[in-house]
Amino acid sequence: MTPKWIFFDLDDTLFDFSKASLLSLQKLWDETSEIRERFDNLNAFLENYHTNNKHMWELHESGKITADFLKGERFRLTIAPDRNDFEIQKFSRNLNDRYLRHLGECNAPMEGAKELLQYISRKRLIGILTNGFTEVQYRKIQTTGLDRYIQRMIISDEIGIQKPDSRLFRHAEQATGATPQSTIMVGDNPDNDMQGALNAGWHAIYFNRKQKPFASASHHFLGQIDSFKDIPDPILESL
């Protein structure tokens, strides 16, 4: 019998990344005088970092830069855009390491995620399909306690392929025995999660917590939800 899998994105789906990232960046601000010396206030630091981080991730997901380059460069561009010497590179990597450590220590499951996974685990195998970094993604689900419900994690950082590339979805099938016809993807990103899954022939449910539009005429698109607490019965049954 073909196993029935449901894969979740991790960040901003099962794990409240926005909340955890804010807390982690606030800790960096509090403990790092060099950041406070460059920016007038915390909000200025956050805005600058998010701009650089978004740009770096766009380059990484399009295959133009490596994950290793992204990790240091997003902080170098934030704190010292006019410098690129060994010392500033070392300092930027240290900031990144501390940020990821703080992130992995945040107990920030999405509201209702634990209860939903408990329900789904009665009839499906549960996996995670994420574009995040290996060293922190495992710590996130361990810290939140969600790891007890997860049978398999597929992390792009380990495979070298990013969502929405269909090859990552094919890898997940090969690693788990899942088939497109019996597999569902739940995620918050219209391109990486939704279109990526649909292009791979998977079913998809859009976790539209941030109210970003997505529409598809594909019969594999099962609908959207904005919370794990009150899921409509037709979607709940498909899970």
Side-chain angles (χ1 to χ4, degrees):
M1 181 178 177
T2 301
K4 297 176 68 176
W5 280 86
I6 181 164
F7 282 89
F8 288 86
D9 175 53
L10 183 56
D11 291 327
D12 282 327
T13 301
L14 290 180
F15 180 79
D16 194 340
F17 177 83
S18 297
K19 173 183 177 180
S21 180
L22 176 59
L23 292 172
S24 300
L25 291 169
Q26 287 175 328
K27 286 184 178 180
L28 279 187
W29 170 267
D30 291 339
E31 68 191 19
T32 311
S33 60
E34 291 89 343
I35 296 177
R36 298 194 302 274
E37 289 169 2
R38 170 164 173 75
F39 295 97
D40 292 334
N41 53 62
L42 173 62
N43 286 337
F45 164 58
L46 295 175
E47 182 178 354
N48 195 288
Y49 168 80
H50 287 308
T51 297
N52 293 316
N53 184 55
K54 182 176 184 293
H55 179 58
M56 288 295 100
W57 270 104
E58 288 171 349
L59 293 176
H60 179 44
E61 291 177 347
S62 64
K64 295 178 180 178
I65 63 172
T66 65
D68 191 62
F69 182 79
L70 180 156
K71 291 175 184 178
E73 189 69 357
R74 59 184 176 181
F75 280 102
R76 185 194 70 80
L77 290 173
T78 299
I79 62 170
D82 298 326
R83 287 181 57 189
N84 200 15
D85 54 85
F86 174 77
E87 287 302 320
I88 200 63
Q89 291 177 6
K90 181 180 178 181
F91 182 66
S92 300
R93 289 304 300 260
N94 176 265
L95 285 177
N96 181 79
D97 291 345
R98 285 191 281 140
Y99 168 70
L100 292 182
R101 184 173 67 251
H102 293 326
L103 202 59
E105 293 170 352
C106 287
N107 185 5
M110 197 65 71
E111 185 177 11
K114 179 180 179 180
E115 293 77 10
L116 180 63
L117 294 186
Q118 286 178 328
Y119 172 81
I120 295 172
S121 65
R122 302 169 191 166
K123 53 182 181 177
R124 280 188 180 268
L125 299 173
I126 301 173
I128 287 177
L129 190 62
T130 173
N131 276 0
F133 298 133
T134 301
E135 67 266 35
V136 70
Q137 298 302 71
Y138 285 107
R139 293 206 303 272
K140 288 174 185 175
I141 66 162
Q142 290 166 356
T143 301
T144 60
L146 298 179
D147 57 322
R148 71 189 68 179
Y149 305 107
I150 307 301
Q151 277 73 51
R152 188 63 185 265
M153 285 188 70
I154 306 293
I155 304 176
S156 65
D157 194 32
E158 294 181 321
I159 312 304
I161 303 170
Q162 301 281 319
K163 290 182 293 184
D165 193 320
S166 292
R167 291 177 297 167
L168 189 62
F169 294 85
R170 296 284 89 87
H171 176 88
E173 294 167 10
Q174 294 168 6
T176 62
T179 64
Q181 298 82 2
S182 62
T183 303
I184 299 172
M185 179 76 204
V186 179
D188 71 298
N189 189 295
D191 299 316
N192 291 346
D193 299 321
M194 293 300 95
Q195 201 57 57
L198 294 173
N199 289 346
W202 290 20
H203 299 283
I205 296 173
Y206 183 29
F207 183 53
N208 192 11
R209 177 171 174 250
K210 295 185 177 180
Q211 300 302 305
K212 297 180 180 179
F214 175 79
S216 174
S218 171
H219 67 279
H220 288 296
F221 182 56
L222 303 178
Q224 68 176 30
I225 55 177
D226 57 16
S227 167
F228 288 144
K229 295 181 65 179
D230 299 305
I231 302 176
D233 286 341
I235 294 180
L236 189 62
E237 288 307 309
S238 70
L239 296 172

